[in-house]
Amino acid sequence: MKERYGATLSTSIGALPTEFPREEMTRRLAELKNALEGFGEVNLMAIEEYQELKQRHDFPVSEQQTDLHQALIL
């Protein structure tokens, strides 16, 4: 945290109040864990898949643009 954002965790979140009930903290922790699990797994191939799709999309478009440009010149 300090290296990336220039702040420590305690300054970012603030001090934990001592009157915070343990049961509520436990419930909130369970909620956050469920929310985190809801994100699912990280697709490690997403960047490569995006690049392949972009290349497939861009190639026909650039080829068509070249064809149109040549047709205008003739």
Side-chain angles (χ1 to χ4, degrees):
M1 284 279 297
K2 185 169 186 121
E3 199 173 291
R4 187 173 219 174
Y5 302 107
T8 61
L9 191 57
S10 61
T11 58
S12 299
I13 295 175
L16 184 65
T18 55
E19 70 276 354
F20 210 63
R22 183 168 186 83
E23 300 82 31
E24 191 174 336
M25 286 180 13
T26 304
R27 182 189 54 77
R28 181 70 175 138
L29 179 60
E31 285 177 8
L32 292 172
K33 282 182 180 181
N34 286 335
L36 186 59
E37 289 172 3
F39 284 122
E41 299 207 13
V42 174
N43 182 359
L44 300 175
M45 300 297 293
I47 294 173
E48 291 175 19
E49 290 173 5
Y50 167 77
Q51 289 170 343
E52 288 174 15
L53 286 171
K54 183 169 177 12
Q55 184 179 12
R56 277 193 264 162
H57 174 267
D58 290 347
F59 179 72
V61 171
S62 63
E63 188 176 306
Q64 290 172 1
Q65 183 180 15
T66 302
D67 289 344
L68 289 172
H69 183 66
Q70 288 176 351
L72 290 172
I73 293 174
L74 300 174

